[in-house]
Structure formats: structure tokens, C-alpha cells
């Protein structure tokens, strides 16, 4: 739409989809040289960034590489758009009209929570959690905390872990063995570091394939993992909110982008506490708010520091909706929408004098340049 020619360098770990896209573009009649794909690792990327013909760079990845790319693009006087890290919170508010200590019938609570459990599972575990906006922190009102935990664990039992080429698979592998080891290391450290965290399910490599699928045990499969803050121990002290905030701020699991099928649960008492927990992150890419009370939802939306916020949904986005983060660790600029179109074009000013040029600046002693 903006009339640019493009050179795409996909990750060397996942180039297949971009190669197929290039084939489709060619089959559709796109002229040669408009959409170009180059394959390779870091060296290829560095050569691209230093090429004088490049005037714009758009990168999706982590903050560490984003800094390097930003520096290289700056030295080549290129404009930059970057979508970087995320640690998206999913805030689950209590049923409207409830209060601290409220009791609900099993039927009414299930009617309220079951759709939210389905939605947050989608937010957390789609693509095995390997998306920048994966919902990795579920912030739950204390009155529904225990019930939600039980329902969420039950939901993971219907997941089908398997070969990603099988249409029935819902949880596939993570990208590399190195990354699987990173996830495991963070979980081990986070659980050892706090007596206030409970491992509800998962927490280890999946090796449950047998028969004709036994060879998949050599793959990088990680069990869907749910880790919950222990409400009872956190609330046993004199300042429960401070205890929850301290755990959330200091534990590696709440602060590190794991990029895998792992979700953390933490309770809150007041809406402001939920907002504070949601904002307690160096990332600010995505967030979702789950409630039947849309007025309260909009109050939360106004206060969370995220570039994209969903109400009663997660992940989904239209091409007209801007996509990007509010904090620098989550990127620079916007993809999608008129904002992205503006980033991929340049403005040109044209000033027209419709009359004859009548002034004589050099002959007028009172003329001023302004």
C-alpha cells in the first residue's frame, strides 16, 4: 500500500513460512524485486543493516537484539520500527456487584468463570506460549482465586501435545533445545527462590509419547505449566498487598519473558492493586481485562501501561488497529493502522505562491527573515 520494495530476512530458526509467502507473492503476479527474501544468520542481518539502499528497518524480536539493530540502523540513518518483548497481564475482575468475602453459588460462578478460563487459556497457551503478547500473568480477584486455579488446571488436561503437523495438536514444541533449557532454568530458579509459589501442573519437559510417536520424545516439548502465588501464605502477614507486590516484583518468573507454555497466577484485593501489578513490568505490549462490568473495564484500560488492551478477549487484532508497546522494552513505533502507513511513507511539503513574486528583500531595509 505504501509503494515500497521490501527485503525480508526471517529468523534462521523459522524461515519456512516466509519462503512460502514469497512463493505466493510470485504466483499472484507480484513483479520481481518487490518482495525479496534473504536467508541467513547474524552476518546477513548486519550486511543488510549497513546497506546504503536500506532506508527503513522493521524488527520483531527481543530487546537485546533490538538495541543492536537500533544502533546499526541509526549509524545508517535508517528509521526504525520494533516490536520487542512482552509479559502480558490478564486481569480477571470479580462478578459485578461483589465485595471482599463474597460467596457465589457454584452454578453462577461457573457461568461467569468458564468463558474466562477458556479465553485466558487461549491467551496463555496458543502457539505454546511463543508469542510476544502471550498472556503470561493472570491477575485474579481473591474471591475467585481458588476456583479459577482449579478450573484452569482442569482445562489444561484437554490439551493435545503432539506433532505440529497434526491438525489435532494444540500444544507443539518450543523452538530449540537451548530455549527449552532456558525455560526450565527460570522455573527452577523461581520456585526455589520463593516459598509463596505453588507448581500446579507441568514444570518439566514432556516425554509422554509412545508407540509410533516415541521419537517425538527427542523433541523440545514442554508441559503446559501453571504456577500460582500461594494466597494463604501471602495473606497471613500484616500487609498482604505488600507481600504480593514484593513477590511479583522480585521473582524471576513474573519479570522475565519466558516465551513458552507457562502462566503465573497472582491474587489481588482492590482494582488499584491489580493495575499496579499489571504495570509492574519493564514490558508494556499487551494486556487483557476480563469482566462483565464494562465501566470498570474501561477504568482499568485507561490505567494499564500497555499498547494493546483487550476487553474479554486476547491476541485478536484487526489490520486497522495499531500494534506496538508503550514501554521501550516492548518496542518503538507501530505496526498496522494508519500509524504504520505513515511510518512507511514520507511527507513532502509543497508551497505555492499563486501570485507574482512582488517582494524585494534586499532592497527593503525593514525586511526580516522569519
Amino acid at each position: 500500500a505504501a509503494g515500497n520494495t521490501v527485503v525480508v530476512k526471517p529468523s534462521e530458526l523459522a524461515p519456512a513460512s516466509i519462503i512460502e509467502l514469497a512463493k505466493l507473492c510470485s504466483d499472484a503476479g507480484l513483479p520481481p524485486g518487490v518482495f525479496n527474501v534473504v536467508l541467513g544468520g547474524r552476518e546477513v542481518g548486519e550486511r543488510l543493516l549497513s546497506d546504503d539502499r536500506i532506508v527503513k528497518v522493521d524488527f520483531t524480536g527481543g530487546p537485546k537484539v533490538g538495541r543492536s539493530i537500533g544502533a546499526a540502523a541509526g549509524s545508517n540513518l535508517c528509521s526504525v520500527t520494533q516490536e520487542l518483548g512482552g509479559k502480558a497481564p490478564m486481569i480477571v475482575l470479580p462478578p459485578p456487584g461483589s465485595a471482599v468475602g463474597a460467596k457465589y453459588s457454584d452454578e453462577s460462578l461457573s457461568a461467569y468463570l468458564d468463558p474466562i478460563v477458556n479465553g485466558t487459556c487461549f491467551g496463555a497457551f496458543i502457539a505454546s506460549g511463543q508469542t510476544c503478547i502471550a498472556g503470561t500473568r493472570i491477575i485474579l480477584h481473591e474471591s475467585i482465586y481458588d476456583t479459577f486455579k482449579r478450573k484452569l488446571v482442569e482445562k489444561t488436561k484437554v490439551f493435545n501435545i503432539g506433532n505440529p503437523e497434526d491438525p489435532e495438536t494444540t500444544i507443539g514444541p518450543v523452538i530449540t533445545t537451548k530455549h527449552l533449557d532456558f525455560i526450565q532454568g527460570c522455573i527452577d530458579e523461581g520456585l526455589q527462590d520463593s516459598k509463596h509459589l505453588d507448581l500446579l501442573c507441568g514444570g518439566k519437559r514432556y516425554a509422554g509419547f509412545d508407540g509410533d510417536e516415541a521419537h517425538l520424545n527427542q523433541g523440545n516439548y514442554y508441559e503446559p505449566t501453571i504456577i500460582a502465588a500461594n494466597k494463604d501464605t501471602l495473606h497471613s502477614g500484616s500487609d498482604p498487598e505488600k507481600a504480593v507486590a514484593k513477590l511479583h516484583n522480585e521473582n524471576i518468573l513474573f519479570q522475565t519473558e519466558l516465551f513458552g507454555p507457562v502462566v503465573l497466577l497472582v491474587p489481588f484485593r482492590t482494582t488499584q492493586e491489580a493495575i499496579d501489578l499489571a504495570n509492574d513490568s519493564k514490558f508494556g505490549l499487551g494486556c487483557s481485562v476480563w469482566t462483565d462490568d464494562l465501566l470498570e473495564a474501561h477504568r482499568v484500560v485507561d490505567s494499564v501501561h500497555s499498547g494493546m488492551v483487550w476487553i474479554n478477549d486476547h491476541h485478536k487484532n484487526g489490520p486497522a488497529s495499531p500494534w506496538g508497546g508503550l514501554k521501550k522494552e516492548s518496542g518503538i513505533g507501530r505496526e498496522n493502522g494508519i500509524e504504520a502507513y505513515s511510518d512507511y511513507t514520507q511527507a513532502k511539503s509543497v508551497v505555492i505562491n499563486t501570485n507574482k513574486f512582488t517582494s524585494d528583500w534586499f532592497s527593503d531595509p525593514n525586511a526580516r527573515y522569519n
Side-chain angles (χ1 to χ4, degrees):
N4 298 299
T5 55
V6 178
V7 179
V8 179
K9 192 204 86 64
S11 167
E12 61 272 28
L13 302 175
S17 61
I18 299 300
I19 294 173
E20 290 302 313
L21 177 60
K23 292 178 181 178
L24 291 173
C25 289
S26 178
D27 293 343
L30 195 69
V34 175
F35 185 84
N36 309 276
V37 178
V38 296
L39 303 178
R42 178 175 179 175
E43 296 79 6
V44 172
E46 289 174 347
R47 288 289 298 273
L48 275 175
L49 288 168
S50 63
D51 194 298
D52 285 341
R53 293 169 291 180
I54 301 297
V55 296
K56 164 100 179 152
V57 176
D58 192 324
F59 171 70
T60 298
K64 181 179 179 180
V65 177
R67 286 187 175 89
S68 299
I69 287 177
S75 68
N76 197 18
L77 297 180
C78 296
S79 65
V80 177
T81 298
Q82 297 194 358
E83 182 200 297
L84 303 178
K87 192 72 176 175
M90 298 187 287
I91 302 171
V92 182
L93 301 177
S98 62
V100 174
K103 301 294 183 182
Y104 315 101
S105 69
D106 291 342
E107 183 178 354
S108 65
L109 192 56
S110 292
Y112 179 73
L113 288 183
D114 287 352
I116 298 176
V117 169
N118 291 338
T120 53
C121 263
F122 175 78
F125 295 113
I126 190 70
S128 301
Q130 296 171 108
T131 72
C132 54
I133 54 168
T136 56
R137 298 177 289 145
I138 305 181
I139 302 171
L140 293 152
H141 190 264
E142 63 174 6
S143 66
I144 56 176
Y145 192 71
D146 294 333
T147 303
F148 191 96
K149 284 195 303 181
R150 174 177 55 79
K151 287 179 174 291
L152 192 67
V153 172
E154 284 296 316
K155 187 65 181 180
T156 63
K157 294 179 181 178
V158 308
F159 293 174
N160 185 19
I161 304 174
N163 190 329
E165 296 182 348
D166 184 346
E168 295 185 359
T169 293
T170 53
I171 298 290
V174 298
I175 187 69
T176 63
T177 302
K178 179 180 179 181
H179 190 68
L180 186 146
D181 292 340
F182 168 76
I183 294 171
Q184 188 65 65
C186 289
I187 288 178
D188 291 344
E189 179 181 342
L191 291 175
Q192 293 170 6
D193 200 38
S194 178
K195 64 180 180 180
H196 298 301
L197 290 178
D198 299 324
L199 177 64
L200 303 185
C201 65
K204 63 182 184 297
R205 185 174 192 155
Y206 181 79
F209 299 107
D210 53 23
D212 293 340
E213 291 188 330
H215 65 285
L216 294 177
N217 288 320
Q218 304 303 313
N220 303 311
Y221 291 89
Y222 201 81
E223 293 185 1
T225 299
I226 303 172
I227 299 172
N230 190 305
K231 184 181 68 174
D232 295 333
T233 61
L234 286 167
H235 287 185
S236 62
S238 59
D239 194 341
E241 288 190 16
K242 185 176 181 180
V244 171
K246 178 178 173 63
L247 170 68
H248 188 280
N249 180 261
E250 296 180 358
N251 192 276
I252 187 174
L253 295 175
F254 287 102
Q255 297 297 326
T256 302
E257 183 178 28
L258 299 181
F259 222 69
V262 182
V263 66
L264 281 294
L265 277 59
V266 63
F268 72 88
R269 286 185 169 177
T270 67
T271 301
Q272 185 58 52
E273 183 186 4
I275 293 169
D276 291 342
L277 289 169
N279 290 337
D280 179 31
S281 173
K282 62 184 178 180
F283 302 112
L285 192 58
C287 171
S288 57
V289 182
W290 301 81
T291 179
D292 287 346
D293 186 342
L294 291 184
L295 287 177
E296 185 72 351
H298 279 286
R299 190 173 83 82
V300 174
V301 166
D302 287 344
S303 299
V304 293
H305 300 161
S306 297
M308 299 166 291
V309 186
W310 294 268
I311 297 176
N312 296 326
D313 213 328
H314 202 95
H315 275 292
K316 300 168 188 174
N317 199 54
S321 181
W323 183 279
L326 285 192
K327 298 181 180 179
K328 62 182 182 180
E329 293 283 329
S330 288
I332 303 168
R334 290 294 181 271
E335 298 171 349
N336 295 349
I338 191 66
E339 290 81 1
Y341 181 79
S342 296
D343 280 348
Y344 277 88
T345 57
Q346 293 191 56
K348 178 188 290 184
S349 293
V350 179
V351 181
I352 301 175
N353 182 359
T354 59
N355 299 307
K356 290 183 178 181
F357 193 84
T358 57
S359 65
D360 186 352
W361 192 87
F362 293 98
S363 298
D364 184 354
N366 296 317
R368 296 294 182 268
Y369 181 74
N370 55 49

